[in-house]
Amino acid sequence: MITPKAYYLCSQYHGSNKQLGSVAEHIFPEHETSALKVDLRTRAKLFFPFYELFIFLIGLFGADSHIAKFLKRIAMRGHIPVVNDSDVIVLKTPPFEYVALLLAAGSKAKLFYIGSPKRVKSERFGELISTPSTPCASATVMLDMLPTEKSYAEYRERSEVFQGSRYALLLLGGDAKGYHYQSDDWVKISNFVNNYSDITGIKWVVSTSPRTGIDAEKILKSQIDKNACECFVCWGDGDRKTVFDCLTGACEVFVTHDSASMISEAINVRLPTIVIRPDKTEYNSLTVPLVDHMVSKRAAMDIKCSDLSLESVGEWKNKEFKPINKCWVEAWERGD
């Protein structure tokens, strides 16, 4: 008997691929998870009618027919599998709508789309998943956050056997659409880390990412007191540690505003999450709606670098913070 596959369509964005892979893994545990790097040979609208014709012909002749394989090779590039009736395909963003439809043509495979389709009617997808970052008015699944790499149950299992003192975790992104960090921003964050440790006695784990950049990492390493920092996971130095690994022993999380995936990871495990933004920002359609939504639910605090202080953070944690009562996997399973 052939094991059904849960395919997810990969893009150039690492965070998005992790989200799709997590959906495939957690929502379809009986399926074999498989990443697909497949794309259209051209995304020009001129070719959309031809894709529709190909989908019709593949449905007519069957997904395993020679004609179907030939048409798919004309339309797409990459490893193109034969999709079976019991398979599912998980995708996100408009460029992959026709990719999924072409792959699934001639089969009864179900398509799971995160967000709102733009190029084809939403009825052509089996399930539509809405998040604050990727809203969809006709969604069949509503989530409070982006899917994360691990579920809360997996985090709790790991955290309960953690050996050692709990620490404050600082997850750092970097420049992105609407966000440009100045040297002064990194200095302000570093000063806060030092002051927070001096007053509370708590140690820090600091983790940078590819977007942080070598210049910012140099500032952070020179400004953060070694006595305050238990561990510095520096991407530029080749250090590699997943966000989930960093979260295991944390008692609270400070994360930069530019990373929707890291923000979701922190909130998903029900830790106090303080989201730090540069003093000057522009609108980002992915992160701002997510942070605003979580602030309204009291699961996150939104604060500028220049406003960081022990008093402001402590008051929010003691009086305002309210952890979510279910992670994204639980919300999906319950149909909430």
Side-chain angles (χ1 to χ4, degrees):
M1 184 176 178
I2 299 176
T3 303
K5 298 283 186 67
Y7 295 107
Y8 64 96
L9 302 183
C10 296
S11 68
Q12 62 180 318
Y13 301 107
H14 178 68
S16 178
N17 295 339
K18 287 177 65 177
Q19 294 161 26
L20 295 172
S22 189
V23 170
E25 179 182 349
H26 287 93
I27 304 305
F28 308 102
E30 72 282 2
H31 289 59
E32 179 185 338
T33 300
S34 179
L36 281 185
K37 294 182 178 180
V38 181
D39 202 352
L40 298 172
R41 292 193 180 274
T42 175
R43 295 177 179 178
K45 291 183 179 180
L46 174 67
F47 289 86
F48 290 1
F50 293 98
Y51 299 150
E52 292 288 358
L53 176 61
F54 289 1
I55 291 167
F56 171 77
L57 292 174
I58 294 169
L60 194 64
F61 289 96
D64 202 25
S65 66
H66 291 297
I67 290 178
K69 295 175 182 177
F70 174 69
L71 292 175
K72 289 180 181 181
R73 283 198 297 270
I74 291 177
M76 298 181 288
R77 52 186 169 81
H79 173 67
I80 305 171
V82 175
V83 176
N84 299 308
D85 291 347
S86 58
D87 296 337
V88 299
I89 301 175
V90 186
L91 67 147
K92 181 181 178 183
T93 71
F96 292 96
E97 291 168 9
Y98 273 116
V99 175
L101 291 169
L102 284 161
L103 287 171
S107 76
K108 296 179 182 178
K110 203 170 183 180
L111 307 182
F112 289 74
Y113 190 100
I114 299 179
S116 182
K118 299 292 190 298
R119 297 176 176 177
V120 299
K121 292 183 178 180
S122 59
E123 291 79 8
R124 299 177 73 175
F125 297 92
E127 298 280 358
L128 297 172
I129 301 95
S130 180
T131 75
S133 300
T134 54
C136 178
S138 55
T140 51
V141 178
M142 303 288 291
L143 300 177
D144 276 331
M145 71 194 76
L146 294 171
T148 60
E149 184 179 6
K150 301 292 184 180
S151 67
Y152 175 69
E154 291 171 297
Y155 161 77
R156 186 175 58 188
E157 181 180 355
R158 176 85 74 86
S159 181
E160 286 177 349
V161 297
F162 173 77
Q163 300 290 325
S165 301
R166 298 288 170 174
Y167 49 79
L169 174 62
L170 177 60
L171 298 172
L172 298 170
D175 289 353
K177 182 180 179 181
Y179 304 96
H180 181 66
Y181 291 86
Q182 305 292 330
S183 298
D184 193 47
D185 293 321
W186 301 120
V187 172
K188 290 175 182 176
I189 291 173
S190 300
N191 290 338
F192 172 76
V193 167
N194 294 334
N195 293 335
Y196 200 77
S197 182
D198 286 343
I199 296 171
T200 65
I202 197 167
K203 301 295 184 182
W204 288 80
V205 168
V206 179
S207 178
T208 64
S209 68
R211 281 208 307 267
T212 310
I214 295 175
D215 291 341
E217 289 176 337
K218 287 181 179 178
I219 294 172
L220 292 161
K221 285 192 285 187
S222 67
Q223 294 291 321
I224 295 177
D225 192 330
K226 291 183 180 180
N227 292 326
C229 189
E230 181 177 299
C231 177
F232 196 116
V233 184
C234 183
W235 184 275
D237 290 345
D239 299 337
R240 297 295 182 267
K241 198 172 185 180
T242 67
V243 173
F244 182 71
D245 288 336
C246 292
L247 288 167
T248 299
C251 59
E252 55 192 325
V253 184
F254 295 76
V255 55
T256 50
H257 209 289
D258 55 275
S259 177
S261 59
M262 291 195 299
I263 293 167
S264 294
E265 292 275 6
I267 293 172
N268 191 62
V269 297
R270 307 178 192 182
L271 291 173
T273 302
I274 296 87
V275 186
I276 307 169
R277 53 191 162 91
D279 289 341
K280 295 181 180 180
T281 60
E282 297 176 6
Y283 187 77
N284 182 301
S285 61
L286 186 65
T287 58
V288 172
L290 173 65
V291 174
D292 287 349
H293 180 69
M294 285 304 171
V295 168
S296 71
K297 295 180 75 69
R298 296 163 56 185
M301 178 187 188
D302 183 9
I303 190 168
K304 294 191 298 184
C305 290
S306 58
D307 293 333
L308 276 170
S309 69
L310 178 64
E311 293 76 20
S312 59
V313 171
E315 184 176 2
W316 176 78
K317 287 195 304 178
N318 295 329
K319 296 182 180 180
E320 297 291 330
F321 172 60
K322 183 180 179 182
I324 59 171
N325 56 21
K326 52 185 176 294
C327 77
W328 73 271
V329 176
E330 295 167 320
W332 191 311
E333 291 174 345
R334 296 176 188 178
D336 295 343

